[in-house]
């Protein structure tokens, strides 16, 4: 048998093929599941955010945060854009702290009997009535600010869950042609946001290795300038690459079609706003739903006509399968049940502060929130590290 050195060039890379005997069991590579539609993740997260706006109960809001965190930990793919959940979590904490600080230092005086501390009060002119600067800080004031801040923080965390779960590039493929330019701008912004965070971490680590300060105003300034310079260089290079590949080209559409598209889109959006307002008010219940449906139909027709301006094809479009319906339905069920609970038992979802009442966990609204965990069981992330990434 000739040695490896005596073989001709390229012969060591050839493999001998043998016929497979009949009845033999062949081990095939497992077929990885197709990723879930990105729009389903956004609808699920927005539904959880809608549910968060219907309550100020800190126990239910904490349960919503835990639900989104568990789904993100279970379903998040191994991609750079999927690491933004922690950033949104820190942003939510900052919003909560800012809300508490403003309530303590600058806020409206509320009737409360449980005084925590008395700060020096600055007298304000008559036109600033209803606003105080300093003075008595009560438990009631702090709790109201905490409930409002926690509700906004929960909404931000739900949006962060959508950013971590939905692939922005694949979401862009699902947008209608009329929203393609706006979608490109949003996708570029969402894609380059993790790069900015990575640049900040890299520059701070480099400054620490050189023995230079990376904290404080001076350190922040010396880190922010290189990050801004790198972001500008990437944006210019990306703009040149997109222009070379023909992004932004539009088809020739008659002026009559453009005017019709604009009228349908704007009229539909105004109809949606008017119908939503009618549904939220007591007097507009008769006309709210018809106006809302007419606005949705007009807006969809406008988007359909506007798609003619963007002649493009879709390679391997994402399909809206049964899993997408289940994920969207789980989020919609959470939003609908908490809206119903806010109407049926408002004292449980919005605990009183004046007089002071300890919040309790209502059973069936809590069980409704747990329906949001369904995506963790029907669409878990692929744990095979050697699996190839989906082409964008």
């Amino acid at each position: 048998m000739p040695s490896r050195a005596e073989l001709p060039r390229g012969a060591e890379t050839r493999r001998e093929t043998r016929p497979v005997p009949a009845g033999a069991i062949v081990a095939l590579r497992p077929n990885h599941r197709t990723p879930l539609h990105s729009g389903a993740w956004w609808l699920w997260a927005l539904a959880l955010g809608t549910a968060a706006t219907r309550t100020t109960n800190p126990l239910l809001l904490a349960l919503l945060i835990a639900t989104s965190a568990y789904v993100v930990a279970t379903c998040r793919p191994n991609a750079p854009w999927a690491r933004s959940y922690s950033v949104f979590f820190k942003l939510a904490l900052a919003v909560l702290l800012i809300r508490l600080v403003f309530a303590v230092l600058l806020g409206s005086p509320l009737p409360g009997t449980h005084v925590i501390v008395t700060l020096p009060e600055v007298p304000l002119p008559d036109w600033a009535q209803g606003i105080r600067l300093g003075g008595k800080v009560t438990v009631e004031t702090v709790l109201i600010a905490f409930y409002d801040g926690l509700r906004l923080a929960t909404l931000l965390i739900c949006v962060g869950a959508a950013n971590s779960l939905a692939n922005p590039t694949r979401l862009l493929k699902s947008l209608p042609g009329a929203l393609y330019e706006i979608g490109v701008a949003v996708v570029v912004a969402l894609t380059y946001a993790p790069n900015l965070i990575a640049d900040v971490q890299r520059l701070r680590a480099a400054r620490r290795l050189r023995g230079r300060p990376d904290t404080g105003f001076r350190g922040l300034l010396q880190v922010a300038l290189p990050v801004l310079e790198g972001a500008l260089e990437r944006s210019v290079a990306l703009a040149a690459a997109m222009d070379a590949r023909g992004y932004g080209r539009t088809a020739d559409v008659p002026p009559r079609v453009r005017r019709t598209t604009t009228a349908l889109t704007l009229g539909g959006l105004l109809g949606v706003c008017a119908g939503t307002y009618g549904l939220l008010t007591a007097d507009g219940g008769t006309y709210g739903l018809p106006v809302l449906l007419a606005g949705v139909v007009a807006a969809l027709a406008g988007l359909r006509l506007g798609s003619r301006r963007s002649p493009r094809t879709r390679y391997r479009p994402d399909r809206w399968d049964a899993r997408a319906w289940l994920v969207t339905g789980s989020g919609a069920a959470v939003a609908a049940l908490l809206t119903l609970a806010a109407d049926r038992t408002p004292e449980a979802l919005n605990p009183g502060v004046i007089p002071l009442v300890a919040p309790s966990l209502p059973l069936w609204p809590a069980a409704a929130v747990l329906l949001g965990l369904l995506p963790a069981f029907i669409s878990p992330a692929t744990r095979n590290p050697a699996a190839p990434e989906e082409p964008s």
Side-chain angles (χ1 to χ4, degrees):
M1 180 176 179
S3 63
R4 188 180 183 89
E6 297 175 354
L7 292 175
R9 185 183 300 272
E12 64 272 9
T13 61
R14 300 171 188 167
R15 294 182 179 179
E16 183 181 0
T17 58
R18 298 177 180 177
V20 180
I25 300 177
V26 182
L28 298 177
R29 185 179 181 180
N31 186 17
H32 301 285
R33 302 177 66 182
T34 57
L36 190 68
H37 198 284
S38 300
W41 286 125
W42 271 102
L43 292 176
W44 171 82
L46 292 178
L48 291 187
T50 303
T53 61
R54 307 303 300 174
T55 178
T56 57
N57 192 324
L59 300 179
L60 288 177
L61 293 175
L63 192 58
L64 283 170
I65 294 174
T67 299
S68 66
Y70 183 79
V71 173
V72 169
T74 307
C75 304
R76 180 174 56 182
N78 186 16
W81 46 265
R83 303 168 187 170
S84 60
Y85 185 75
S86 60
V87 178
F88 277 88
F89 198 89
K90 295 176 182 178
L91 179 62
L93 290 179
V95 168
L96 180 59
L97 292 177
I98 291 173
R99 181 68 179 89
L100 290 175
V101 169
F102 270 85
V104 171
L105 299 179
L106 180 65
S108 58
L110 295 174
T113 58
H114 303 79
V115 180
I116 301 176
V117 66
T118 302
L119 301 176
E121 187 171 359
V122 178
L124 298 176
D126 296 337
W127 53 267
Q129 292 182 357
I131 301 176
R132 65 167 180 83
L133 186 59
K136 295 182 179 180
V137 180
T138 61
V139 177
E140 290 81 359
T141 302
V142 175
L143 279 181
I144 289 177
F146 177 74
Y147 291 167
D148 291 340
L150 184 60
R151 180 166 55 181
L152 181 57
T154 305
L155 183 59
L156 289 174
I157 290 174
C158 292
V159 174
N163 279 278
S164 300
L165 294 171
N167 190 334
T169 305
R170 305 190 74 89
L171 181 62
L172 178 62
K173 293 182 178 182
S174 304
L175 287 178
L179 302 177
Y180 185 69
E181 289 81 4
I182 301 176
V184 168
V186 173
V187 167
V188 169
L190 294 177
T191 304
Y192 277 97
N195 293 334
L196 295 178
I197 300 172
D199 288 346
V200 171
Q201 295 175 352
R202 176 176 55 83
L203 289 173
R204 292 186 62 185
R207 291 184 63 83
R208 286 195 298 268
L209 289 175
R210 294 181 174 90
R212 299 177 182 178
D214 61 325
T215 59
F217 180 76
R218 183 178 178 182
L220 180 62
L221 184 63
Q222 294 182 357
V223 168
L225 290 179
V227 170
L228 180 61
E229 182 181 358
L232 291 176
E233 290 179 355
R234 280 196 299 266
S235 63
V236 172
L238 179 63
M242 292 176 66
D243 183 65
R245 287 169 173 81
Y247 278 88
R249 293 179 299 176
T250 57
D252 294 332
V253 179
R256 176 175 55 83
V257 177
R258 288 200 300 267
R259 288 192 294 267
T260 305
T261 301
T262 304
L264 287 175
T265 305
L266 293 180
L269 294 178
L270 290 176
V272 169
C273 294
T276 305
Y277 177 78
L279 291 177
L280 294 177
T281 57
D283 298 333
T286 56
Y287 68 87
L289 184 59
V291 173
L292 178 62
L293 294 178
V296 169
V297 172
L300 292 178
L303 293 177
R304 180 69 177 177
L305 287 177
S307 301
R308 299 182 180 182
R309 296 183 62 251
S310 179
R312 60 192 182 95
T313 58
R314 291 184 175 91
Y315 173 69
R316 296 179 63 186
D318 294 336
R319 300 187 181 278
W320 193 275
D321 54 3
R323 292 184 300 148
W325 282 112
L326 289 175
V327 170
T328 306
S330 65
V334 174
L337 291 176
L338 257 69
T339 302
L340 180 62
D343 295 333
R344 297 288 181 86
T345 57
E347 66 280 353
L349 269 70
N350 298 285
V353 178
I354 304 173
L356 193 61
V357 177
S360 60
L361 183 63
L363 294 182
W364 73 271
V369 174
L370 294 179
L371 292 176
L373 294 173
L374 184 62
F377 302 98
I378 64 175
S379 183
T382 303
R383 297 305 179 188
N384 187 3
E389 296 184 356
E390 286 291 327
S392 57

